[in-house]
Amino acid sequence: MHLRPPNMVHIPGGRFLMGKDGSRADEAPAHMVTVHPFEAAEAPVTNVEYAAFVEATGGALPPFLPEARFAAPQLPVVGISWFEAVAYCDWLSEHVGGQFRLPTEAEREFAALG
């Protein structure tokens, strides 16, 4: 497989209300958060993209890959740990150039708001 960098989109940053009052302890209280501009991958990492990392590093296959509903090559990889995701980002950065990382919780929520 020829490894290509992911298509990245610019997220301009801004302020938004994160959390929820009267909710679970890890979501409360609602508070204003400022997110600085950042780049995010246009699409999730697929099974076939993650498989290149596993093959190159001898890492573990995703735990849900044997299940047909999660196994298609173009589906997003699921069930990997945060540590495995960080290792993938580091490996991708080294092999395609650039600097890839996981978004922070605030960046992820801000981007999801559109």
Side-chain angles (χ1 to χ4, degrees), residues 59-101:
L61 289 172
F64 301 115
L65 199 57
E67 295 183 37
R69 64 187 173 150
F70 299 118
Q74 296 306 319
L75 286 178
V77 66
V78 295
I80 63 171
S81 73
W82 179 88
F83 297 102
E84 290 165 320
V86 168
Y88 175 82
C89 290
D90 292 343
W91 174 83
L92 186 65
S93 296
E94 182 181 324
H95 286 82
V96 301
Q99 195 156 355
F100 300 98
R101 64 173 177 84

Side-chain angles (χ1 to χ4, degrees), residues 19-30 105 109:
K20 184 177 177 186
D21 290 329
S23 186
R24 298 184 337 219
D26 63 337
E27 293 180 348
E105 182 179 4
E109 287 191 30

Side-chain angles (χ1 to χ4, degrees), residues 45-59:
V45 175
T46 64
N47 285 325
V48 72
E49 291 166 335
Y50 194 78
F53 163 71
V54 169
E55 184 177 319
T57 64

Side-chain angles (χ1 to χ4, degrees), residues 10-16 33-39 101 104 106-108 110-111:
H10 178 74
I11 309 297
R15 290 177 53 83
F16 75 107
V33 174
T34 299
V35 174
H36 298 286
F38 65 102
E39 299 287 316
R101 64 173 177 84
T104 66
E107 288 170 340
R108 173 70 183 95
F110 182 77

